[in-house]
Amino acid sequence: TVALQATADASASGVHFDTLADPREYPWLSWSWKVPALNPLADNTLSHVEDSPARVIVVFEGGRDKLSPEEQMNFDLAKAMSGNDLPYATLMYIWENRLPEGAVIAHHFTSRIKMIVAGSGHADLGAWHEERVNVLEDYRRAFGEEPPRIRAVGIMSDSDNTGARSVAYFGDIRFERR
C-alpha cells in the first residue's frame, strides 16, 4: 500500500491539496488511515490539549461577508498577520481518544472549524481503517447551512499542545458521487 506518513514531535505536520469539488455532486469522501498509538494527554474538547494523531481536513470556499462581525475581525487579523485569507469553513475528521464516532466538536477559537470524530479509542490501533463519510450531510449538521464548494483537502498529525509525539499513516483520499 502506498501511504503518506505524518509525524509530529511537539508540533504539527500537514499537507494539503488544492482542489475544487461541489459537495452536492461529490458528497462522499473516503480515505484510509492507520494510527499506531494514541496520545494519552490529548482531549479535543479542551483547547490546551487539543491534539490528534490523525486529521483529514476539508476546506470550503466562501466570503467573509456571510460571517458575524467577530468572525470577520478574526479573518482580518489572520490576513494582516499571514497575508492569507482564512477558509470560510473547515471540517476536520479526527481520530479522538474518548468520544464516539460521529461526535461533533466545536473549535475553541472560531465557529468556522468543526471537528467530527471519524475514529475513536484504542480499537484496532495499528490496523488500516477504511473511512467513508458524507461531507454534504456532515457540513449541514455541523454548520446548519448549505455548503459552498470544497477548495482543498489535507491531512495532519498534531501534538503541539501536549508536547507529545504522534504518528499516522494516510492512504488514498477520494471524493465520490456515491
Side-chain angles (χ1 to χ4, degrees):
T1 299
V2 176
L4 177 65
Q5 178 181 331
T7 303
D9 281 307
S11 64
S13 69
V15 63
H16 82 275
F17 177 76
D18 291 332
T19 188
L20 285 178
D22 185 338
R24 282 163 290 285
E25 188 176 347
Y26 295 93
W28 295 99
L29 176 65
S30 64
W31 72 91
S32 59
W33 58 1
K34 178 170 77 168
V35 174
L38 297 179
N39 174 349
L41 304 173
D43 182 341
N44 285 280
T45 66
L46 303 171
S47 64
H48 68 285
V49 288
E50 181 193 309
D51 284 334
S52 177
R55 299 178 190 263
V56 173
I57 302 166
V58 182
V59 176
F60 296 84
E61 64 182 12
R64 70 185 282 290
D65 55 315
K66 292 183 178 180
L67 302 173
S68 70
E70 179 181 293
E71 288 292 352
Q72 288 183 14
M73 283 189 351
N74 286 344
F75 273 53
D76 294 343
L77 180 60
K79 174 82 172 187
M81 294 179 71
S82 70
N84 297 313
D85 288 322
L86 287 177
Y88 173 72
T90 302
L91 284 178
M92 290 186 183
Y93 293 96
I94 67 170
W95 194 295
E96 222 286 314
N97 287 357
R98 297 166 197 83
L99 294 177
E101 291 182 14
V104 177
I105 306 167
H107 195 271
H108 306 286
F109 303 114
T110 177
S111 65
R112 302 313 304 164
I113 298 174
K114 305 290 183 179
M115 294 175 276
I116 299 178
V117 178
S120 182
H122 295 277
D124 297 323
L125 284 176
W128 280 99
H129 292 258
E130 299 289 330
E131 306 292 347
R132 190 165 194 256
V133 298
N134 187 318
V135 175
L136 176 64
E137 292 304 321
D138 286 344
Y139 187 97
R140 289 171 174 160
R141 182 168 56 105
F143 293 105
E145 63 187 36
E146 288 300 307
R149 289 189 312 176
I150 296 163
R151 78 174 202 199
V153 64
I155 57 99
M156 183 178 174
S157 182
D158 74 301
S159 62
D160 55 343
N161 292 317
T162 59
R165 177 178 167 83
S166 290
V167 177
Y169 300 89
F170 297 88
D172 290 339
I173 300 171
R174 297 175 300 282
F175 288 102
E176 301 169 336
R177 285 194 158 103
R178 294 195 177 138

